[in-house]
Structure formats: structure tokens, C-alpha cells
Amino acid sequence: MVGAVSSGATALRGLSVLVIGAGAIGCAVAEGLAAAGAAVRVCERGGVASGTTAHGEGNVLVSDKGPGPELRLAQLSRRLWPETLAGLRESVPEYAARVEWEAKGGIVVATTTDGATTLRAFAARQRAAGVRCVELDATDLAAAEPALTREVGAALHYPDDAQVQPAGAATALLAAAVRAGAVVESDCAITGPLRDGDRLVGVRTARGPRHADLIVNAAGPWSGAVATLLGAPIAIRPRRGEVLVTAPLPPTVFHKVYDADYVGAVGSSSSDLETSAVVESTPAGPLLLGSSRRQTGFDDRLRVDSLATIARKAIRLFPALAEVAVMRAYGGFRPYVADHLPVIGPDPRLPGLWHATGHEGAGIGLSVGTAHLIVAALTGRPTDPDLTAFTVDRPAVLDIEYGVAEENTRDATP
């Protein structure tokens, strides 16, 4: 989205904005606002891209979203990513290569008869919403993924699925923001609000007070705690996920390949362990094996049952992986909302506060679209999807009973 603001690079001149959080969402928002002329400051409690972004896979997906506002946001983001990359190559060429954009497409497979029926019906609804996907027969599937199991009831190819290196993408976006005048402060935890009457006019931080016309809460899984500190609680809680990383391999997997169960796991509201097989390559050679979802509060211990289930399901899709070494495992927290929609836009309870959070595991892919919506709204341009779809003022966001409150506060400080 670098510089891609139709109303020009001075549309927000005179507006000062403080972005809380330097993950993918915060970096994209900072870049978009700075490109539009705003005076941007980013406050990050740790290091750039050190939270959820550093523990993700870098997915830019349309395949896992059913018709509705999140799919429209994913489609917007997918259209914006190539022009964003072009802008990064022009603005910060030394960082652009770190994005590692791979428009490799995705393949979703069903390994049961019932799963195949469900997958085909889901794909038909997606096609009606403008998603490109085509069913592969056994011959085409074997050509696309030679190492994939032949025990497949249905396989859908999504050519628009892509992948980036998440920390590299966030860093490049933030570098472009800095090139446009943004200021970045790490080790800058938020400790409280600064108010002028009923309006939020800044924040107290570990590095002193910081004033701004607008505060954007982009703190990911910690955005619930940030919002509570600022006096406008939102029901965002962490949802834990884990990934296995194999030893480097010769070319073995050529798309993002996952079992159709993944869509159900993403959309589940269960607090119990949910797993599905997700297998994808990286430019360096290792494969990433996922995925899991479980609500554990901010308990960051790796769970053996999650890792074992991930490995078992990955081997079911690619039997040859049984002989492949695993180098390491990692996990992270996703910002979860009970109705599975992000929270984007102004907070009607506290003038001066906006939110850009709750994207769960889709934040990398949705980051540039989220930034586009915020810049468009602030410059008075129409948004599609409409921001009302992601409003703060909905039960899943305001009912703090379902939020981050007391379940486990380890490392919950903003």
C-alpha cells in the first residue's frame, strides 16, 4: 500500500497519530497513515514484529474464508499486496527483498467422503463471492503435489493464496513508514491514558507521556489489556497456536497444502485443542507444519499433545514426512474475537481511540487491507467492506465476560 492513497500524500497532513504495537497490523497502519501525510509515532512494548508476527507462518489467504466481510477484506488485501510490494521496492529496496513474497497458491484437500461434499459446497459459495478456485482431478493433483497422499476425496486449487516472511514483511512496512517520517519507539509499554475531558489525547508510557490526535490500538493479543488500561475494554483474548519446522529439504511441497478441517478449526469457538494438517514450504528449504488452536491464556509453554497431533496429521497428508527430521517448534498467541471478525475503526465510547486488532491468525494477510480501510475512513472515502462490519460496538467485542480478563495473566502486560 506504500503511497497508494488516492487522495494524495498530504490527505492527513496535520493529524498526529500514535500506533500501539509494531506487529504486522501496526506496521501496515503506520505505513498507510504516514504515506497519507500524518505525523505517526509507533510505540511497541518489545521489539518490532516480536510478538504474534514473529510466531506466524505469513499466510495471505482467501481459501479459508467463507462469504462475508472478512472474505471481502481478504480479497481487498490480496489485491493490494502486489502494489504494496512494488511500492516497497521503490521506497525501501533494501528491505523489500525480506518480504519473500510467494504467490504459490493453495491446495485444500478432503480425505473423507463427507469432507469432500462439505469442501465442494464451501468452494461453490466462495466462487459466488468472487473467489477463484478449481477442483483438481487425481492426475492434476499428482502433478501439482507429487508427494501428497493419493487418499484424497476432493482437492481444490486456490491460485490467489500466497505467503510472505512475516517479520520481514512487517519490518519492510515499518521501514517505509519511517522513510515517510514516522517515529518508532521500542521498549515503550503503555501504562495509562492521557485525557482532555472525555477525549483521549495520548498515552502514558514507560518512556514518558506521548500525545496524539488519534490513538490506534494495534496490540494484537494484548489489545484487550491495552484497551482496559485506556478505559474502553474490548473482549480480545489470546488463542495459542504451534508450528513444527523441519530440516531443510529439496523441493517437496509446492503450494500451501491443508486439510479441509482447517477451515472448521479457524471458525471454531471451542477453548479445547483444535488441530488440522497444514504443510507449506519456505524459500530456505524447511517445511512449516501446522496448525493448532487452543485457549491457554498467556501460558506460552509448548504442548506435546499439540505437536504430536500436528506431526501425525502432516504425515497423513505427506507420508514421506515420517522420515524427515524436525529442527524446532515454536508457538505464539493470536488475537481472538468470539465472532471471528476483526475489530477495526473508532471506539464510540472514547473519542480519539481507534482499534485495529482481532484478526486472529489472518493478520499478516489482512494487514494492508486493514490499513487501507483506516486511511480511507480518515480521509472521508468510502470503504469496501464497510467499517460497520468490524465495529467495536457489537456483543462479541464489548462482552468482557468472553475477553482476556482473569483466565491467565502471564505476560499479559501491554
Side-chain angles (χ1 to χ4, degrees):
M1 186 181 148
V2 180
V5 182
S6 64
S7 51
T10 62
L12 295 179
R13 182 167 292 174
L15 180 73
S16 62
V17 183
L18 188 147
V19 178
I20 301 172
I25 298 294
C27 291
V29 170
E31 188 282 318
L33 292 169
V40 176
R41 180 182 298 270
V42 179
C43 286
E44 162 60 48
R45 70 167 190 159
V48 173
S50 61
T52 299
T53 297
H55 299 90
E57 297 171 77
N59 294 326
V60 182
L61 303 182
V62 295
S63 59
D64 63 338
K65 298 169 183 66
E70 188 184 29
L71 175 58
R72 294 199 300 277
L73 178 57
Q75 291 168 311
L76 169 66
S77 293
R78 181 59 179 84
R79 291 194 300 271
L80 289 173
W81 265 109
E83 69 180 62
T84 297
L85 292 168
L88 291 173
R89 293 185 190 105
E90 182 177 342
S91 173
V92 285
E94 66 274 32
Y95 288 91
R98 303 181 188 182
V99 177
E100 296 183 7
W101 171 260
E102 288 188 278
K104 59 188 175 184
I107 294 178
V108 185
V109 299
T111 55
T112 65
T113 301
D114 288 345
T117 300
T118 301
L119 176 59
R120 291 186 178 109
F122 182 72
R125 294 194 299 273
Q126 289 180 305
R127 287 192 197 98
V131 175
R132 295 196 300 156
C133 60
V134 60
E135 185 163 355
L136 302 177
D137 62 23
T139 301
D140 290 338
L141 181 60
E145 290 293 344
L148 182 68
T149 178
R150 297 296 173 256
E151 296 179 7
V152 172
L156 273 296
H157 177 229
Y158 290 81
D160 292 326
D161 279 0
Q163 184 182 14
V164 298
Q165 206 295 328
T171 302
L173 287 165
L174 194 59
V178 171
R179 185 67 53 87
V183 174
V184 180
E185 294 184 292
S186 56
D187 300 316
C188 189
I190 307 303
T191 60
L194 293 171
R195 294 194 184 217
D196 183 1
D198 292 334
R199 183 174 184 84
L200 186 67
V201 296
V203 293
R204 301 184 190 281
T205 80
R207 301 180 66 167
R210 299 291 185 265
H211 290 81
D213 300 320
L214 193 73
I215 311 298
V216 180
N217 176 14
W222 298 273
S223 56
V226 167
T228 298
L229 273 177
L230 299 180
I234 56 175
I236 303 285
R237 63 174 148 180
R239 203 178 189 196
R240 178 81 173 166
E242 285 144 341
V243 174
L244 292 170
V245 184
T246 74
L249 298 174
T252 304
V253 179
F254 302 93
H255 303 77
K256 180 185 177 71
V257 181
Y258 64 87
D259 191 286
D261 290 346
Y262 177 81
V263 176
V266 170
S268 170
S269 297
S270 173
S271 61
D272 298 330
L273 175 64
E274 300 269 352
T275 61
S276 54
V278 181
V279 181
E280 60 190 317
S281 61
T282 65
L287 300 181
L288 304 180
L289 311 180
S291 71
S292 68
R293 282 171 165 77
R294 176 158 48 188
Q295 292 175 22
T296 64
F298 283 100
D299 185 339
D300 62 0
R301 292 173 293 180
L302 289 171
R303 302 299 210 283
V304 173
D305 60 338
S306 296
L307 302 177
T309 304
I310 288 169
R312 184 171 63 252
K313 290 189 174 183
I315 291 169
R316 184 183 179 195
L317 282 189
F318 289 89
L321 293 180
E323 306 301 322
V324 173
V326 171
M327 290 196 305
R328 64 186 181 95
Y330 64 87
F333 302 110
R334 308 177 180 99
Y336 168 82
V337 183
D339 64 3
H340 307 289
L341 285 176
V343 186
I344 306 169
D347 194 315
R349 302 165 298 171
L350 184 56
L353 176 63
W354 283 49
H355 300 283
T357 186
H359 300 76
E360 201 174 339
I364 304 296
L366 300 181
S367 59
V368 294
T370 296
H372 179 89
L373 292 184
I374 288 176
V375 173
L378 287 172
T379 54
R381 293 181 289 125
T383 62
D384 182 20
D386 194 287
L387 273 185
T388 57
F390 310 111
T391 181
V392 176
D393 192 15
R394 62 186 207 256
V397 179
L398 295 184
D399 191 346
I400 307 304
E401 178 184 347
Y402 299 103
V404 297
E406 300 295 333
E407 57 185 77
N408 187 322
T409 57
R410 180 191 294 188
D411 197 32
T413 56

